[in-house]
Amino acid sequence: LQPGADIYTDSTVWQPGTPAETETVLLPKGTVINGYMIMDTLSTKGRESVVYIAAKAAEEFALKLYKREVELVEAKMQALKQISCPYVAQLCDYGVYQGQHYEVYPYYKNGTIENKGRVEGEQLKRYIYQLNEALHSLHTAQAVSGMVHGDLKPSNIFLSDDEKSVILGDFGVSNIKTGENSHFARICGTPEYAPPSTGLMDQMKKS
């Protein structure tokens, strides 16, 4: 398991020795998905998906196409579309393309804070405040009983065009709450950033 690798499992812990996925076949430029034309490949690092830069009506978007069939949770999609916090990436569209689920978000040309370098002082305080607002918006999402992001890390925190704001994105492993005692049976995330209660770091050390 490489540092920063994502953990996706339908049981309680990641199992060492899981066979590697087959090589991903990328969509060619010019492919059109529901009016979104693929312009370039943005990221192939994700275990579960590939992200493309797509254009529609002279505007650029980030189109996330999952590599395998995943369950489309309508309540989760509707909740994301209704969140209006400026620090949460707005879900613009979603659907299915040739059996694969896709999601469309704004394209942030400055990328994420993972490659920004050291952040300190007033800028750090501002970013922390904005992330707190983003998490509060998710946890109190009115379309459901709340939502848990599940994989909060630098590579999922995007920079605005002027770099004065951060935007929380990538909700691929997020879960919606259905009540006060909701139980999330599917543990997902990245070990280095996972809460101690998940036990992911312990599993990684043992492996």
Side-chain angles (χ1 to χ4, degrees), residues 16-43:
T18 301
E21 293 189 9
T22 56
E23 183 178 353
T24 301
V25 178
L26 301 178
L27 295 178
K29 295 179 182 179
T31 301
V32 178
I33 300 178
N34 192 28
Y36 298 93
M37 180 178 289
I38 301 300
M39 306 301 292
D40 204 352
T41 302
L42 184 59
S43 175

PDB file of all heavy atoms in Angstrom, residues 16-43:
ATOM      1  N   PRO A  16      -5.025  -6.849   2.473  1.00  0.00           N
ATOM      2  CA  PRO A  16      -3.791  -6.912   1.689  1.00  0.00           C
ATOM      3  C   PRO A  16      -3.867  -8.011   0.633  1.00  0.00           C
ATOM      4  O   PRO A  16      -4.533  -9.020   0.825  1.00  0.00           O
ATOM      5  CB  PRO A  16      -2.718  -7.231   2.735  1.00  0.00           C
ATOM      6  CG  PRO A  16      -3.318  -6.793   4.033  1.00  0.00           C
ATOM      7  CD  PRO A  16      -4.788  -7.049   3.905  1.00  0.00           C
ATOM      8  N   GLY A  17      -3.187  -7.778  -0.485  1.00  0.00           N
ATOM      9  CA  GLY A  17      -3.153  -8.790  -1.531  1.00  0.00           C
ATOM     10  C   GLY A  17      -4.285  -8.685  -2.520  1.00  0.00           C
ATOM     11  O   GLY A  17      -4.474  -9.563  -3.361  1.00  0.00           O
ATOM     12  N   THR A  18      -5.097  -7.603  -2.438  1.00  0.00           N
ATOM     13  CA  THR A  18      -6.184  -7.426  -3.382  1.00  0.00           C
ATOM     14  C   THR A  18      -5.606  -7.258  -4.777  1.00  0.00           C
ATOM     15  O   THR A  18      -4.704  -6.451  -4.981  1.00  0.00           O
ATOM     16  CB  THR A  18      -7.019  -6.186  -3.016  1.00  0.00           C
ATOM     17  OG1 THR A  18      -7.529  -6.369  -1.698  1.00  0.00           O
ATOM     18  CG2 THR A  18      -8.181  -6.016  -3.992  1.00  0.00           C
ATOM     19  N   PRO A  19      -6.084  -7.986  -5.782  1.00  0.00           N
ATOM     20  CA  PRO A  19      -5.528  -7.881  -7.124  1.00  0.00           C
ATOM     21  C   PRO A  19      -5.638  -6.467  -7.666  1.00  0.00           C
ATOM     22  O   PRO A  19      -6.609  -5.768  -7.409  1.00  0.00           O
ATOM     23  CB  PRO A  19      -6.408  -8.858  -7.942  1.00  0.00           C
ATOM     24  CG  PRO A  19      -6.987  -9.785  -6.934  1.00  0.00           C
ATOM     25  CD  PRO A  19      -7.151  -8.982  -5.690  1.00  0.00           C
ATOM     26  N   ALA A  20      -4.619  -6.025  -8.391  1.00  0.00           N
ATOM     27  CA  ALA A  20      -4.647  -4.695  -8.978  1.00  0.00           C
ATOM     28  C   ALA A  20      -5.698  -4.640 -10.074  1.00  0.00           C
ATOM     29  O   ALA A  20      -6.003  -5.626 -10.735  1.00  0.00           O
ATOM     30  CB  ALA A  20      -3.276  -4.366  -9.567  1.00  0.00           C
ATOM     31  N   GLU A  21      -6.267  -3.463 -10.276  1.00  0.00           N
ATOM     32  CA  GLU A  21      -7.263  -3.298 -11.303  1.00  0.00           C
ATOM     33  C   GLU A  21      -6.599  -3.335 -12.674  1.00  0.00           C
ATOM     34  O   GLU A  21      -5.415  -3.049 -12.828  1.00  0.00           O
ATOM     35  CB  GLU A  21      -7.999  -1.969 -11.109  1.00  0.00           C
ATOM     36  CG  GLU A  21      -8.845  -1.938  -9.864  1.00  0.00           C
ATOM     37  CD  GLU A  21      -9.717  -0.689  -9.836  1.00  0.00           C
ATOM     38  OE1 GLU A  21      -9.771   0.026 -10.859  1.00  0.00           O
ATOM     39  OE2 GLU A  21     -10.331  -0.448  -8.800  1.00  0.00           O
ATOM     40  N   THR A  22      -7.384  -3.688 -13.677  1.00  0.00           N
ATOM     41  CA  THR A  22      -6.860  -3.714 -15.032  1.00  0.00           C
ATOM     42  C   THR A  22      -6.589  -2.289 -15.502  1.00  0.00           C
ATOM     43  O   THR A  22      -7.112  -1.324 -14.951  1.00  0.00           O
ATOM     44  CB  THR A  22      -7.880  -4.373 -15.973  1.00  0.00           C
ATOM     45  OG1 THR A  22      -9.128  -3.671 -15.888  1.00  0.00           O
ATOM     46  CG2 THR A  22      -8.096  -5.832 -15.597  1.00  0.00           C
ATOM     47  N   GLU A  23      -5.768  -2.173 -16.531  1.00  0.00           N
ATOM     48  CA  GLU A  23      -5.377  -0.877 -17.040  1.00  0.00           C
ATOM     49  C   GLU A  23      -6.597  -0.094 -17.510  1.00  0.00           C
ATOM     50  O   GLU A  23      -7.472  -0.630 -18.198  1.00  0.00           O
ATOM     51  CB  GLU A  23      -4.383  -1.052 -18.190  1.00  0.00           C
ATOM     52  CG  GLU A  23      -3.849   0.258 -18.741  1.00  0.00           C
ATOM     53  CD  GLU A  23      -2.835   0.034 -19.845  1.00  0.00           C
ATOM     54  OE1 GLU A  23      -2.473  -1.137 -20.059  1.00  0.00           O
ATOM     55  OE2 GLU A  23      -2.432   1.013 -20.473  1.00  0.00           O
ATOM     56  N   THR A  24      -6.655   1.166 -17.149  1.00  0.00           N
ATOM     57  CA  THR A  24      -7.782   2.012 -17.499  1.00  0.00           C
ATOM     58  C   THR A  24      -7.694   2.450 -18.951  1.00  0.00           C
ATOM     59  O   THR A  24      -6.647   2.890 -19.422  1.00  0.00           O
ATOM     60  CB  THR A  24      -7.806   3.261 -16.598  1.00  0.00           C
ATOM     61  OG1 THR A  24      -7.899   2.837 -15.239  1.00  0.00           O
ATOM     62  CG2 THR A  24      -8.993   4.143 -16.942  1.00  0.00           C
ATOM     63  N   VAL A  25      -8.794   2.322 -19.663  1.00  0.00           N
ATOM     64  CA  VAL A  25      -8.876   2.804 -21.034  1.00  0.00           C
ATOM     65  C   VAL A  25      -9.478   4.206 -20.995  1.00  0.00           C
ATOM     66  O   VAL A  25     -10.619   4.389 -20.585  1.00  0.00           O
ATOM     67  CB  VAL A  25      -9.736   1.869 -21.903  1.00  0.00           C
ATOM     68  CG1 VAL A  25      -9.848   2.431 -23.320  1.00  0.00           C
ATOM     69  CG2 VAL A  25      -9.161   0.466 -21.916  1.00  0.00           C
ATOM     70  N   LEU A  26      -8.700   5.207 -21.394  1.00  0.00           N
ATOM     71  CA  LEU A  26      -9.136   6.591 -21.324  1.00  0.00           C
ATOM     72  C   LEU A  26     -10.026   6.947 -22.498  1.00  0.00           C
ATOM     73  O   LEU A  26      -9.861   6.441 -23.613  1.00  0.00           O
ATOM     74  CB  LEU A  26      -7.923   7.525 -21.293  1.00  0.00           C
ATOM     75  CG  LEU A  26      -6.951   7.328 -20.132  1.00  0.00           C
ATOM     76  CD1 LEU A  26      -5.778   8.292 -20.263  1.00  0.00           C
ATOM     77  CD2 LEU A  26      -7.652   7.526 -18.794  1.00  0.00           C
ATOM     78  N   LEU A  27     -10.962   7.838 -22.247  1.00  0.00           N
ATOM     79  CA  LEU A  27     -11.827   8.330 -23.315  1.00  0.00           C
ATOM     80  C   LEU A  27     -11.026   9.241 -24.244  1.00  0.00           C
ATOM     81  O   LEU A  27     -10.244  10.073 -23.776  1.00  0.00           O
ATOM     82  CB  LEU A  27     -13.004   9.109 -22.732  1.00  0.00           C
ATOM     83  CG  LEU A  27     -14.010   8.339 -21.867  1.00  0.00           C
ATOM     84  CD1 LEU A  27     -15.070   9.293 -21.344  1.00  0.00           C
ATOM     85  CD2 LEU A  27     -14.650   7.212 -22.658  1.00  0.00           C
ATOM     86  N   PRO A  28     -11.213   9.134 -25.541  1.00  0.00           N
ATOM     87  CA  PRO A  28     -10.496  10.026 -26.465  1.00  0.00           C
ATOM     88  C   PRO A  28     -11.079  11.438 -26.424  1.00  0.00           C
ATOM     89  O   PRO A  28     -12.247  11.638 -26.092  1.00  0.00           O
ATOM     90  CB  PRO A  28     -10.743   9.371 -27.824  1.00  0.00           C
ATOM     91  CG  PRO A  28     -12.020   8.609 -27.668  1.00  0.00           C
ATOM     92  CD  PRO A  28     -12.024   8.127 -26.241  1.00  0.00           C
ATOM     93  N   LYS A  29     -10.240  12.408 -26.751  1.00  0.00           N
ATOM     94  CA  LYS A  29     -10.712  13.788 -26.843  1.00  0.00           C
ATOM     95  C   LYS A  29     -11.823  13.868 -27.882  1.00  0.00           C
ATOM     96  O   LYS A  29     -11.768  13.210 -28.921  1.00  0.00           O
ATOM     97  CB  LYS A  29      -9.564  14.716 -27.229  1.00  0.00           C
ATOM     98  CG  LYS A  29      -8.460  14.812 -26.188  1.00  0.00           C
ATOM     99  CD  LYS A  29      -7.347  15.743 -26.648  1.00  0.00           C
ATOM    100  CE  LYS A  29      -6.222  15.805 -25.633  1.00  0.00           C
ATOM    101  NZ  LYS A  29      -5.110  16.693 -26.070  1.00  0.00           N
ATOM    102  N   GLY A  30     -12.814  14.680 -27.578  1.00  0.00           N
ATOM    103  CA  GLY A  30     -13.938  14.827 -28.494  1.00  0.00           C
ATOM    104  C   GLY A  30     -15.134  13.980 -28.126  1.00  0.00           C
ATOM    105  O   GLY A  30     -16.236  14.183 -28.657  1.00  0.00           O
ATOM    106  N   THR A  31     -14.944  13.009 -27.224  1.00  0.00           N
ATOM    107  CA  THR A  31     -16.074  12.203 -26.744  1.00  0.00           C
ATOM    108  C   THR A  31     -17.097  13.125 -26.071  1.00  0.00           C
ATOM    109  O   THR A  31     -16.727  14.002 -25.296  1.00  0.00           O
ATOM    110  CB  THR A  31     -15.604  11.142 -25.735  1.00  0.00           C
ATOM    111  OG1 THR A  31     -14.643  10.296 -26.356  1.00  0.00           O
ATOM    112  CG2 THR A  31     -16.776  10.298 -25.241  1.00  0.00           C
ATOM    113  N   VAL A  32     -18.364  12.933 -26.370  1.00  0.00           N
ATOM    114  CA  VAL A  32     -19.412  13.777 -25.798  1.00  0.00           C
ATOM    115  C   VAL A  32     -20.280  12.954 -24.853  1.00  0.00           C
ATOM    116  O   VAL A  32     -20.803  11.904 -25.223  1.00  0.00           O
ATOM    117  CB  VAL A  32     -20.288  14.406 -26.901  1.00  0.00           C
ATOM    118  CG1 VAL A  32     -21.412  15.241 -26.282  1.00  0.00           C
ATOM    119  CG2 VAL A  32     -19.438  15.272 -27.829  1.00  0.00           C
ATOM    120  N   ILE A  33     -20.402  13.434 -23.645  1.00  0.00           N
ATOM    121  CA  ILE A  33     -21.243  12.798 -22.624  1.00  0.00           C
ATOM    122  C   ILE A  33     -22.314  13.794 -22.199  1.00  0.00           C
ATOM    123  O   ILE A  33     -22.018  14.789 -21.526  1.00  0.00           O
ATOM    124  CB  ILE A  33     -20.406  12.366 -21.407  1.00  0.00           C
ATOM    125  CG1 ILE A  33     -19.325  11.358 -21.823  1.00  0.00           C
ATOM    126  CG2 ILE A  33     -21.310  11.773 -20.327  1.00  0.00           C
ATOM    127  CD1 ILE A  33     -18.422  10.927 -20.677  1.00  0.00           C
ATOM    128  N   ASN A  34     -23.523  13.565 -22.621  1.00  0.00           N
ATOM    129  CA  ASN A  34     -24.652  14.430 -22.268  1.00  0.00           C
ATOM    130  C   ASN A  34     -24.341  15.918 -22.529  1.00  0.00           C
ATOM    131  O   ASN A  34     -24.644  16.781 -21.705  1.00  0.00           O
ATOM    132  CB  ASN A  34     -25.030  14.229 -20.791  1.00  0.00           C
ATOM    133  CG  ASN A  34     -26.363  14.886 -20.445  1.00  0.00           C
ATOM    134  OD1 ASN A  34     -27.234  15.038 -21.303  1.00  0.00           O
ATOM    135  ND2 ASN A  34     -26.509  15.298 -19.181  1.00  0.00           N
ATOM    136  N   GLY A  35     -23.721  16.203 -23.644  1.00  0.00           N
ATOM    137  CA  GLY A  35     -23.417  17.586 -24.007  1.00  0.00           C
ATOM    138  C   GLY A  35     -22.065  18.082 -23.525  1.00  0.00           C
ATOM    139  O   GLY A  35     -21.634  19.169 -23.909  1.00  0.00           O
ATOM    140  N   TYR A  36     -21.377  17.295 -22.702  1.00  0.00           N
ATOM    141  CA  TYR A  36     -20.048  17.669 -22.205  1.00  0.00           C
ATOM    142  C   TYR A  36     -18.986  17.016 -23.101  1.00  0.00           C
ATOM    143  O   TYR A  36     -18.910  15.784 -23.182  1.00  0.00           O
ATOM    144  CB  TYR A  36     -19.852  17.203 -20.764  1.00  0.00           C
ATOM    145  CG  TYR A  36     -20.816  17.833 -19.784  1.00  0.00           C
ATOM    146  CD1 TYR A  36     -22.019  17.193 -19.466  1.00  0.00           C
ATOM    147  CD2 TYR A  36     -20.530  19.056 -19.186  1.00  0.00           C
ATOM    148  CE1 TYR A  36     -22.913  17.760 -18.568  1.00  0.00           C
ATOM    149  CE2 TYR A  36     -21.417  19.631 -18.286  1.00  0.00           C
ATOM    150  CZ  TYR A  36     -22.606  18.988 -17.990  1.00  0.00           C
ATOM    151  OH  TYR A  36     -23.496  19.555 -17.113  1.00  0.00           O
ATOM    152  N   MET A  37     -18.187  17.830 -23.765  1.00  0.00           N
ATOM    153  CA  MET A  37     -17.160  17.306 -24.650  1.00  0.00           C
ATOM    154  C   MET A  37     -15.833  17.148 -23.905  1.00  0.00           C
ATOM    155  O   MET A  37     -15.347  18.099 -23.297  1.00  0.00           O
ATOM    156  CB  MET A  37     -16.954  18.221 -25.859  1.00  0.00           C
ATOM    157  CG  MET A  37     -15.870  17.715 -26.821  1.00  0.00           C
ATOM    158  SD  MET A  37     -15.666  18.756 -28.293  1.00  0.00           S
ATOM    159  CE  MET A  37     -17.193  18.361 -29.167  1.00  0.00           C
ATOM    160  N   ILE A  38     -15.270  15.956 -23.953  1.00  0.00           N
ATOM    161  CA  ILE A  38     -13.985  15.690 -23.307  1.00  0.00           C
ATOM    162  C   ILE A  38     -12.881  16.456 -24.028  1.00  0.00           C
ATOM    163  O   ILE A  38     -12.671  16.289 -25.235  1.00  0.00           O
ATOM    164  CB  ILE A  38     -13.663  14.186 -23.309  1.00  0.00           C
ATOM    165  CG1 ILE A  38     -14.757  13.397 -22.574  1.00  0.00           C
ATOM    166  CG2 ILE A  38     -12.293  13.933 -22.666  1.00  0.00           C
ATOM    167  CD1 ILE A  38     -14.955  13.774 -21.132  1.00  0.00           C
ATOM    168  N   MET A  39     -12.162  17.297 -23.276  1.00  0.00           N
ATOM    169  CA  MET A  39     -11.088  18.108 -23.831  1.00  0.00           C
ATOM    170  C   MET A  39      -9.700  17.566 -23.476  1.00  0.00           C
ATOM    171  O   MET A  39      -8.768  17.672 -24.251  1.00  0.00           O
ATOM    172  CB  MET A  39     -11.204  19.560 -23.325  1.00  0.00           C
ATOM    173  CG  MET A  39     -12.567  20.191 -23.571  1.00  0.00           C
ATOM    174  SD  MET A  39     -13.012  20.227 -25.313  1.00  0.00           S
ATOM    175  CE  MET A  39     -11.820  21.421 -25.924  1.00  0.00           C
ATOM    176  N   ASP A  40      -9.587  16.993 -22.282  1.00  0.00           N
ATOM    177  CA  ASP A  40      -8.282  16.489 -21.838  1.00  0.00           C
ATOM    178  C   ASP A  40      -8.493  15.617 -20.604  1.00  0.00           C
ATOM    179  O   ASP A  40      -9.540  15.673 -19.951  1.00  0.00           O
ATOM    180  CB  ASP A  40      -7.350  17.653 -21.505  1.00  0.00           C
ATOM    181  CG  ASP A  40      -5.872  17.273 -21.595  1.00  0.00           C
ATOM    182  OD1 ASP A  40      -5.593  16.072 -21.766  1.00  0.00           O
ATOM    183  OD2 ASP A  40      -5.028  18.172 -21.485  1.00  0.00           O
ATOM    184  N   THR A  41      -7.487  14.831 -20.267  1.00  0.00           N
ATOM    185  CA  THR A  41      -7.509  14.028 -19.043  1.00  0.00           C
ATOM    186  C   THR A  41      -6.889  14.843 -17.921  1.00  0.00           C
ATOM    187  O   THR A  41      -5.775  15.344 -18.052  1.00  0.00           O
ATOM    188  CB  THR A  41      -6.722  12.724 -19.226  1.00  0.00           C
ATOM    189  OG1 THR A  41      -7.283  11.989 -20.314  1.00  0.00           O
ATOM    190  CG2 THR A  41      -6.793  11.876 -17.963  1.00  0.00           C
ATOM    191  N   LEU A  42      -7.611  14.995 -16.820  1.00  0.00           N
ATOM    192  CA  LEU A  42      -7.134  15.796 -15.695  1.00  0.00           C
ATOM    193  C   LEU A  42      -6.400  14.952 -14.661  1.00  0.00           C
ATOM    194  O   LEU A  42      -5.344  15.339 -14.158  1.00  0.00           O
ATOM    195  CB  LEU A  42      -8.316  16.517 -15.029  1.00  0.00           C
ATOM    196  CG  LEU A  42      -8.004  17.483 -13.886  1.00  0.00           C
ATOM    197  CD1 LEU A  42      -7.078  18.590 -14.370  1.00  0.00           C
ATOM    198  CD2 LEU A  42      -9.301  18.074 -13.329  1.00  0.00           C
ATOM    199  N   SER A  43      -6.926  13.781 -14.336  1.00  0.00           N
ATOM    200  CA  SER A  43      -6.294  12.939 -13.320  1.00  0.00           C
ATOM    201  C   SER A  43      -6.671  11.476 -13.513  1.00  0.00           C
ATOM    202  O   SER A  43      -7.843  11.148 -13.724  1.00  0.00           O
ATOM    203  CB  SER A  43      -6.713  13.390 -11.920  1.00  0.00           C
ATOM    204  OG  SER A  43      -6.203  12.500 -10.934  1.00  0.00           O
TER     205      SER A  43
END
